Amino acid sequence: MAVGLDARLRDVVGAKTAAALDKGLGLETVGDLLSHYPFRYAQRGEQADLGSLRIGEEVTVFAQVRAAVPKPLPPKPPRPGKRAIKRDLLEVIVADEMGRTVTLTYFNQGWRAKELRPGRWGLFAGKVGQFRGRLQLNSPQYRLLAEDASDPAEAVEEFAGAFIPVYPATADLPTWKIGQCVRIALDLLEDPPDPLPAAIRSRHRLMGYGAALHQIHRPESFESLGAAKKRLKWQEALVMQAALVRRKAEAAVEPATPRPKGGAILEAFDASLPFPLTDGQRRVGAEIADELAGEHPMHRLLQGDVGSGKTLVALRAMLQVVAHGGQAAMLAPTEVLAGQHHRSIAEMLGDLAKGGELGAPMEATRVALLTGSATAAQRRATLEAVESGEAGIVVGTHALLYDGVDFHDLGLVVVDEQHRFGVEQRDALRSKAERPPHTLVMTATPIPRTVAMTVYGDLETSRLTELPAGRSPIATHVVPYTDQRWMARTWTRVREEVAAGRQAYVVCPRVGGEDTEDTGGGDDRRPPLAVTDMIEQLRSGPLHGLRLGLLHGRLDAEEKDRVMRAYAAGEIDVLVATTVIEVGVNVPNATAMVILDAERFGISQLHQLRGRVGRGSHPGLCLLVSEAAEGTASRDRLDAVASTTDGFALAELDLEQRREGDVLGAAQSGTKSHVKLLSLLRDVDIIEEARADAVKLIAADPRMRSEPAFAALVDDLAADRGEYLEKG
Ligand code: ADP
Ligand code: MG
């Protein structure tokens, strides 16, 4: 029997095993099973000397069987109505050339005594254990030398060096069982068609698909394993890039409602600005203005460090759309941020946000806020303003994505702080417009090149590289938590800032109280400091007499909003908060930030946090308080953050240190099952080359008609994303 990749596993490995593979790992076909790749390869231990075995070590020993004695064990007590199950233990004594011995044990495998006859030499591979003070190997794998072996040394080498695939396993399906199924499938597999375009395969000297499947599961050598991985990664990269490039190409020809440059409300706004635009704002603004005026939807990513003035760029884009009868929606990741955007947009617009009110300018519009916590009545009023088009600008959290939110004429979607949203959410909002709206995605998290190419591979990119003039530098220092003097100095600095009329943040990793949420990972360190405890300690201790405020994610929206307003109004001196203040919060009078247990935060997170200070005309100060000892990896990360404010450098470093899954987060959901081997970190070259090839491929043949097998893979990936969208 020969089988193809679409053969059902039940026809190949039997119904029972197939059911376990399906239930435990979601594998239904031979193709599914063969793309369940090993996550590592155990090498049988180097050949060990029987004189120097250490408990726990994986070893391979070359030895001769001296005796093999099956011993019956007391039977397992029978279950009612069943017969007792017989059990036995086979003990095999083997000795090396020096006569040193070790015992091998096999449970219920008495038949092996027929193979392991005294006098035979073999290699035995397993983990060294101990029983009653004697070293032993439990159920070691073995290969016996032919009784007439001409070159024992060669056999020894081959066996000891072999790769043993280790699979992601489940309780019911240990790795060796999966390996067994894979072997059966590979033995039956007829050479599968190769989905990669032949030209690309030969240009990059890629192994054929069938060979790659064999080599990734049962590598013949280190080299062939490398070649197999490269080939399979290439396929993943090319499918992903082709999907993104195609999506981009398709989006580029969709019709959009043109919103010409300028317009009364934008011109009035520009005239009212108290400062000149930075060069970057002008340049990026012009790019965006051109695209909004075009007949096809804009899909642009705007990167710029915290405080670089992205929001202003976005607002000007929104006004251009509003000036021509459209609406703009701004999607923010948290209620705090949505509330703040709403406030600051209304403030920046002044009278221009008072559309419909007496005495407001002709060109004025309204700015609506829609979050999950609005009361039913508020919500109804807001929805009406959105539906009638009265509200030109609508700010909200993902509540904006829900059904029941209808726009009069949605012309522009601005997504703030994109790393919290995925492609899918973007799509959900865009689907609320009759014609595809323009999309502007803003992120303050600098994005390493490969991530930009994959997660945002369907967007054009703009960057704001300089901060507005008059922006103040932020000095960052690491403070050892256990040093009393330094800690005292830290709180004195906070008091000095407050005495000078300014404000400060104190950030802790945890809320405290009943919560068990822990951002620091489950180890035996003390629990991370909590804002609810810290505020009490500070109030009665080093910050006695100052006006302290508390902000964290478990407060209800109204309370959060009240606290943020009070802080923005200068009625609170020191805000003790969790990372809810991480993104976008803007209080220019805040100049100092103390981050406690700083090593519990990621590099990018620290950088984001510190961007909350130094936003006004006074220099910022950020103190990273930590117990991490000098020379540890944690301390190195903090030192890195202290040493530079270059967000891009820090983002690259962050990517290196974090698990890629975290980096991609929701942004890649729906594509996960398609990217198994490819690493955004290590496979930069493959991703770049695949991108270039995908562009060429789709330019020459937009629907990839000449490569149906490859096109089918691209469709699969796109469909999985679509499915995620419906579920989400
Ligand atoms: P981002 O969203 O990129 O973090 P914001 O748009 O919130 O930055 O801008 C931060 C602050 O800088 C705001 O108070 C904003 O009014 C101010 N700002 C923006 N552009 C300029 C500029 N060209 N000159 C001076 N201040 C500016
Ligand atoms: Mg912002």
Side-chain angles (χ1 to χ4, degrees), residues 29-48:
T29 64
V30 166
D32 293 343
L33 176 64
L34 294 183
S35 41
H36 187 71
Y37 305 129
F39 67 93
R40 69 183 179 89
Y41 300 83
Q43 281 206 301
R44 292 198 176 98
E46 292 295 299
Q47 209 188 318

Side-chain angles (χ1 to χ4, degrees), residues 80 110 138 156 182 204 331 338 383 555 574 708:
N138 263 325
V156 168
V182 166
H204 300 283
L331 194 58
L383 288 180
L555 298 176
V574 179

Side-chain angles (χ1 to χ4, degrees), residues 244-259:
L244 289 164
V245 169
R246 186 175 69 176
R247 182 184 154 102
K248 188 168 162 181
E250 284 169 358
V253 297
E254 287 180 326
T257 308
R259 315 285 176 175

Side-chain angles (χ1 to χ4, degrees), residues 273-279 281-282 302-314 330 340-341 344 348 416-417 442-444 464 467-471 583-588 611-612 615-616:
L273 266 181
F275 44 68
L277 298 179
T278 65
D279 289 347
Q281 284 171 327
R282 218 181 289 283
L302 174 55
Q303 298 189 52
D305 219 337
V306 283
S308 58
K310 296 183 294 298
T311 312
L312 182 67
V313 170
M330 184 171 203
Q340 174 171 311
H341 274 313
S344 71
M348 281 199 259
D416 188 20
E417 312 296 356
M442 305 193 291
T443 174
L464 286 178
L467 298 182
R471 198 47 67 77
V583 277
V585 167
N586 187 29
V587 178
R612 305 302 112 217
R615 296 174 78 89

Side-chain angles (χ1 to χ4, degrees), residues 281-575:
Q281 284 171 327
R282 218 181 289 283
R283 183 175 34 82
V284 173
E287 268 170 359
I288 293 174
D290 272 340
E291 286 185 320
L292 295 177
E295 314 217 314
H296 303 293
M298 167 177 83
H299 297 275
R300 191 164 280 279
L301 175 68
L302 174 55
Q303 298 189 52
D305 219 337
V306 283
S308 58
K310 296 183 294 298
T311 312
L312 182 67
V313 170
L315 178 55
R316 294 187 64 250
M318 294 194 267
L319 294 177
Q320 181 173 335
V321 169
V322 170
H324 299 95
Q327 288 168 292
M330 184 171 203
L331 194 58
T334 63
E335 298 215 344
V336 169
L337 201 53
Q340 174 171 311
H341 274 313
H342 177 249
R343 231 173 3 255
S344 71
I345 286 174
E347 241 161 59
M348 281 199 259
L349 288 176
D351 285 349
L352 292 172
K354 297 189 177 143
E357 285 177 36
L358 217 57
M362 275 283 295
E363 59 273 17
T365 186
R366 298 194 75 88
V367 186
L369 174 67
L370 193 70
T371 62
S373 62
T375 65
Q378 283 168 337
R379 188 177 159 82
R380 215 171 312 115
T382 307
L383 288 180
E384 214 177 279
V386 174
E387 203 173 334
S388 66
E390 198 187 311
I393 296 176
V394 186
V395 183
T397 57
H398 47 268
L400 276 184
L401 305 175
Y402 299 150
D403 285 343
V405 182
D406 294 316
F407 287 82
H408 176 66
D409 176 11
L410 180 59
L412 170 65
V413 173
V414 177
V415 182
D416 188 20
E417 312 296 356
Q418 161 74 11
H419 60 295
R420 301 287 177 96
F421 293 105
V423 177
E424 295 78 15
Q425 278 111 323
R426 245 197 276 150
D427 284 352
L429 190 48
R430 285 176 40 195
S431 70
K432 290 185 178 291
E434 244 140 73
R435 291 176 129 192
H438 301 285
T439 308
L440 180 65
V441 176
M442 305 193 291
T443 174
T445 314
I447 300 169
R449 219 163 19 122
T450 41
V451 180
M453 248 186 308
T454 47
V455 181
Y456 308 106
D458 58 337
L459 303 176
E460 305 288 340
T461 306
S462 309
R463 257 181 211 183
L464 286 178
T465 45
E466 80 266 56
L467 298 182
R471 198 47 67 77
S472 308
I474 306 172
T476 306
H477 304 285
V478 181
V479 177
Y481 182 64
T482 44
D483 187 323
Q484 302 285 329
R485 241 171 13 127
W486 273 83
M487 284 310 294
R489 180 74 193 126
T490 296
W491 302 123
T492 307
R493 283 294 290 117
V494 170
R495 298 193 77 100
E496 285 168 6
E497 291 299 312
V498 173
R502 296 193 264 284
Q503 292 161 280
Y505 298 96
V506 175
V507 181
C508 302
R510 204 164 59 95
V511 177
E514 297 295 297
D515 78 323
T516 48
E517 148 217 24
D518 175 355
T519 47
D523 46 304
D524 52 7
R525 293 180 294 181
R526 67 163 166 72
L529 296 172
V531 281
T532 46
D533 303 334
M534 191 47 60
I535 194 168
E536 296 311 323
Q537 286 178 35
L538 293 174
R539 206 193 304 276
S540 57
L543 300 186
H544 178 74
L546 302 190
R547 296 169 301 171
L548 305 186
L550 180 66
L551 188 70
H552 58 72
R554 290 217 314 268
L555 298 176
D556 62 39
E558 225 166 276
E559 173 67 4
K560 271 188 260 185
D561 195 57
R562 194 192 61 75
V563 173
M564 270 322 293
R565 276 173 194 275
Y567 189 63
E571 294 155 12
I572 291 173
D573 299 318
V574 179
L575 190 62

Side-chain angles (χ1 to χ4, degrees), residues 133-193:
R134 271 195 317 174
L135 294 184
Q136 62 176 36
L137 301 180
N138 263 325
S139 298
Q141 300 183 11
Y142 55 86
R143 171 163 313 171
L144 296 173
L145 297 198
E147 264 146 321
D148 57 349
S150 56
D151 186 358
E154 191 180 305
V156 168
E157 200 156 288
E158 186 212 330
F159 181 73
F163 294 88
I164 305 167
V166 181
Y167 291 94
T170 68
D172 293 342
L173 281 169
T175 168
W176 60 266
K177 180 84 195 171
I178 298 169
Q180 228 169 35
C181 296
V182 166
R183 268 197 301 277
I184 295 170
L186 281 176
D187 288 344
L188 295 175
L189 184 69
E190 62 192 12
D191 198 29

